[in-house]
């Protein structure tokens, strides 16, 4: 007996020592060294491989670290066993886990939910999860009942999405779970799927999205598996065999201080990832957090199967001994006596351990930042902790012996409280948001969890209420909402609120048959204020302008700031006709234009005077086919017209302009596909020498759409120049010309002809233009001289030196260079002297003016011809349409001609036929003579 007592004493000392050792790390964490950042450790339940989990959590991990710069945030992504070990060892401050596991932690260790997870699914945010049963695509299992007698792989007994959600579907259909051969293939969901793929199991219970994530990483054949009885869940992109349940939960553990809890919750709820970052994340990636969701549906599932925390407690050692008392008695009185003594000592030790644990838990609970209130079965307050006093303002002696009714704010009715007590009576626990009143009369929100404590007889002995003040969260939500709908610089509504108000006004105007107006105001040349006085003065000017606009409109009108220097005034729908609304809008616009024109004296010195360009769109009846953004676009078009008209004017929206812009945009989109759709056509116009011999042709571009309609070059060439499409189109034309020249070498009538193609200024400005062109002409070799590049003077006006260097490279490659439209731009003799042009082209406008009565035009053309020939260039005249013009040009010394008189532009195959026949006729004529 003494030996037994010494053993018990040794065990007791060992337990006390272990408890002290356990307290040391917690004390060290609670009091970090001065200057050190406290460590915030977050445990995350891992359901797949490490790379997949890192991709899923990486973005919010980085965002949280940036949101909590005063903490060293450490993430530990752990499977079930490792996560439970970390929780047992109290190495974590917070945990992110599935809702079933979260519910168990709330009941077993008093964890507090602070947020729920938002995932990116199909490009959209989603805060829900589901379970799925995957079976082999070629297998015999087609419905839940087919699983009887078959092997079903699952993750673990702790897994909600990988075990119990699917089991609940079996239970709802009356299928006996004992009739199934269960195979634990976890802890990884991937391992469960592998069990089906390898044939070890007939079905796999996993969380929805796991298989799709594997397929997205290229780790699987999408034809191998199919979902069992898939659910129709609108907007949910993954295959699912169960309804949707609340997604994962973020919980703080009891040992975590209230300050850390508040900082963590605020940071989580404020996380907002940019659209560009979200576009790079995979499906099922976590992108943010929302306030914690109700776990009632999860509790129903777990309670059905008596899964932790609703499991039936195992028999104690005493109960087992009592059940086996008769067989033990038969073994002998001596053995029974020893056993009874051992049982008594064991019970005392266990009770002592429980008391120590309860004292430690109570000490941590009462010292926490959460308010705690203990009441008896008659609902009289027995005890409160210091946090209760700090939150409510009531000292213990003011509330002990009274009921919690003294805290009621009156915002919840009697039915609310009756429902709360009914839940406590049936479920033993209630939690939710409630509004109470402090001692000073202030009403505040709190998150309250009430648990019933039962005695051995099953009757309620106490109720324990644990609550946290949500005032800070409500304030944060209000601040977030304010930032979402208000411009922080001017305190005006922002674009989002404007669109909501505009949409509401559109509906109102349809119902009441009234009209309003939308004024878009642009501050002319506002950027100069920032350039001259700096951004701070620019912000001051914007605030002053906003105040002037706000002061000058009626109270029910809306003033908003939509971009840096653009404001919108939304005039309410108060007019019976569009004409009256337009008249009123014109008057308001002129008044605002006058108000904004008044000088602004800057606080840092200086005076600014601005003007405004205002676009107006009338909003009202008949706009059902337009949404809010359409009206805003209409006002913007009107404002652009005001700026094009010289600024400082008011302009109304014209639907014809919108239609023209829409038509132009559609044409531009079609032009972008013209090359791929084989819609571009090459035409050729002949070029002849003075003796009417064919020497070459100019390549011209035509666009024939799929429906056969021809788009005028005057319409699509400027559009191509403006949009930059001229660059790929121009290169395509040159490549076609090179191929044509190569093909012509096999045809004597065409072998010596020169092909001229136009080079736009947009193309020439590209840094790699010359390099790409030289690559393209490499196959021509000595035939490069037959490719003529036509340029205009605009190419070399801005940087003559660079243009000259480029032209020299092209000249060295053997290409022929032509200066087009000479005399119509900023013609300079220095260009002719320094740039290596081979051909000088006289613009058709000069040619058209040649005649017996216009001696000045003839003198001008003669001068151009003389200049070109004196500089060693071949002179070619464009637009020759009459014999008189041709004769005059030849007489003046022009060497080559081009125009309708000599040949119209024609499709390439028609030109080749025409040139071949012309060559044959000339040969016949020569033979005859």
């Amino acid at each position: 007996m003494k030996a037994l007592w010494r053993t018990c004493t040794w065990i007791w000392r060992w337990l006390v020592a272990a408890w002290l050792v356990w307290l040391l790390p917690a004390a060290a964490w609670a009091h970090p060294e001065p200057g050190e950042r406290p460590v915030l450790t977050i445990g995350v339940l891992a359901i797949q491989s490490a790379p997949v989990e890192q991709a899923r959590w990486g973005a919010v991990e980085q965002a949280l670290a940036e949101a909590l710069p005063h903490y060293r945030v450490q993430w530990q992504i752990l499977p079930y066993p490792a996560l439970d070990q970390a929780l047992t060892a109290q190495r974590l401050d917070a945990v992110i886990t599935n809702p079933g596991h979260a519910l168990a932690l709330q009941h077993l260790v008093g964890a507090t939910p602070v947020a729920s997870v938002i995932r990116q699914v199909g490009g959209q945010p989603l805060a829900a999860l589901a379970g799925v049963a995957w079976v082999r695509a070629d297998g015999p299992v087609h419905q839940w009942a087919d699983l009887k007698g078959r092997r079903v792989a699952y993750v673990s007994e702790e897994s909600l999405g990988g075990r119990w959600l699917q089991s609940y579907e079996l239970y709802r259909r009356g299928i006996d779970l004992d009739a199934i051969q269960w195979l634990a293939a976890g802890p990884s969901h991937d391992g469960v799927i592998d069990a089906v793929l390898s044939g070890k199991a007939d079905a796999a219970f996993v969380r929805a999205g796991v298989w799709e994530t594997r397929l997205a990483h290229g780790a699987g054949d999408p034809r191998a598996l199919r979902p069992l009885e898939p659910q129709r869940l609108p907007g949910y992109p993954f295959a699912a065999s169960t309804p949707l349940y609340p997604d994962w939960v973020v919980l703080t553990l009891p040992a975590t201080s209230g300050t850390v809890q508040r900082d963590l919750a605020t940071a989580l709820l404020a996380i907002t990832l940019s659209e560009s970052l979200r576009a790079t994340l995979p499906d099922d990636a976590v992108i943010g957090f929302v306030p914690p969701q109700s776990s009632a549906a999860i509790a129903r599932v777990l309670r059905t199967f008596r899964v932790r925390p609703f499991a039936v407690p195992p028999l104690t050692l005493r109960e087992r001994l009592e059940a086996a008392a008769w067989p033990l008695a038969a073994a002998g009185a001596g053995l029974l006596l020893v056993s009874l003594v051992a049982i008594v000592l064991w019970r005392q030790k266990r009770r002592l351990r429980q008391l120590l644990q309860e004292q430690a838990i109570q000490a941590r609970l009462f010292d926490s930042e959460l308010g705690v209130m203990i009441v008896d079965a008659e609902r009289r307050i027995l005890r409160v902790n210091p946090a209760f006093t700090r939150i409510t303002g009531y000292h213990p002696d003011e509330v002990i012996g009274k009921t919690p009714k003294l805290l009621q704010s009156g915002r919840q009715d009697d039915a609310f409280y009756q429902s709360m007590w009914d839940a406590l009576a049936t479920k033993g626990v209630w939690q939710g948001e409630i509004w109470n009143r402090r001692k000073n009369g202030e009403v505040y929100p709190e998150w309250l969890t009430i648990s019933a404590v039962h005695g051995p007889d099953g009757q309620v002995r106490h109720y324990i209420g644990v609550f946290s003040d949500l005032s800070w969260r409500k304030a944060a939500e209000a601040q977030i909402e304010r930032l979402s709908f208000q411009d922080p610089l001017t305190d005006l509504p922002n674009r989002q609120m404007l669109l909501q108000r505009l949409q509401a006004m559109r509906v109102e105007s349809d119902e009441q048959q009234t009209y309003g107006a939308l004024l878009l105001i642009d501050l002319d040349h506002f950027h100069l204020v920032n350039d001259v006085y700096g951004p701070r003065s620019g912000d001051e000017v914007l605030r002053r302008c906003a105040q002037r606009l706000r002061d000058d409109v009626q109270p029910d009108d809306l003033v908003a700031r939509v971009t840096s220097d653009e404001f919108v005034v939304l005039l309410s729908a108060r007019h019976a006709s569009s004409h009256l609304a337009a008249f009123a809008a014109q008057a308001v616009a002129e008044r605002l234009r006058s108000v904004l024109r008044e000088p602004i004296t800057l606080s840092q010195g200086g005076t600014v005077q601005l003007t405004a360009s205002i676009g107006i769109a009338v909003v009202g009846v008949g706009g059902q086919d337009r949404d809010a953004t359409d009206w805003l676009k209409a006002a913007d078009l009107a404002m652009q017209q005001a700026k094009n008209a010289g600024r400082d004017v008011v302009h109304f929206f014209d639907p014809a302009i919108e239609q023209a812009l829409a038509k132009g945009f559609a044409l531009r989109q079609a032009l972008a596909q013209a090359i791929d759709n084989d819609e571009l056509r090459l035409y050729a116009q002949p070029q002849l020498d003075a003796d009417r011999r064919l020497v070459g042709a100019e390549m011209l571009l035509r666009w024939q759409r799929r429906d056969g309609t021809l788009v005028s070059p005057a319409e699509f060439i400027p559009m191509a120049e403006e949009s930059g499409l001229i660059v790929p189109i121009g290169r395509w034309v040159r490549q076609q010309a090179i191929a044509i020249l190569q093909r012509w070498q096999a045809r004597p009538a065409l072998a010596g002809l020169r092909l001229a193609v136009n080079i736009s200024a947009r193309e020439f400005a590209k840094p790699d233009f010359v390099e790409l062109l030289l690559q393209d002409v490499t196959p021509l070799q000595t035939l490069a001289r037959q490719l003529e590049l036509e340029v205009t003077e605009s190419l070399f006006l801005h940087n003559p030196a660079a243009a000259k260097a480029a032209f020299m490279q092209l000249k060295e490659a053997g290409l022929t260079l032509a200066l087009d439209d000479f005399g119509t731009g900023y013609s300079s003799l220095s260009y002719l002297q320094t740039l290596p042009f081979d051909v000088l082209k006289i613009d058709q406008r000069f040619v058209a003016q040649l005649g017996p009565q216009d001696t000045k035009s003839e003198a001008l053309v003669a001068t151009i011809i003389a200049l070109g020939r004196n500089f060693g260039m071949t002179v070619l005249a464009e637009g020759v349409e009459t014999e008189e013009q041709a004769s005059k040009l030849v007489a003046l010394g022009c060497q080559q001609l081009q125009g309708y008189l000599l040949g119209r532009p024609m499709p390439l195959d028609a030109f080749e036929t025409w040139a071949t026949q012309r060559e044959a006729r000339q040969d016949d004529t020569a033979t005859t003579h």
Side-chain angles (χ1 to χ4, degrees), residues 597-630:
R597 197 184 292 115
E598 295 178 4
I600 298 174
T601 302
L602 302 176
S603 58
Q604 294 183 339
T607 301
V608 173
Q609 187 170 11
L610 298 173
T611 60
S613 300
I614 303 178
I616 302 176
V618 176
V619 181
V621 182
Q624 295 90 342
D625 57 338
R626 289 180 177 271
D627 60 16
T629 56
D630 291 333

Side-chain angles (χ1 to χ4, degrees), residues 321-335:
L321 291 174
E322 290 176 349
W326 182 252
L328 291 176
L335 182 60

Side-chain angles (χ1 to χ4, degrees), residues 20 126 218 266 288 293 300 340 426 510 568 644 693 730 755 857:
L20 291 175
L126 189 66
T266 302
Q293 303 182 67
R300 182 171 62 252
L340 289 175
T426 57
D510 283 341
V568 168
N644 294 338
R693 290 191 300 268
L755 267 182
S857 296

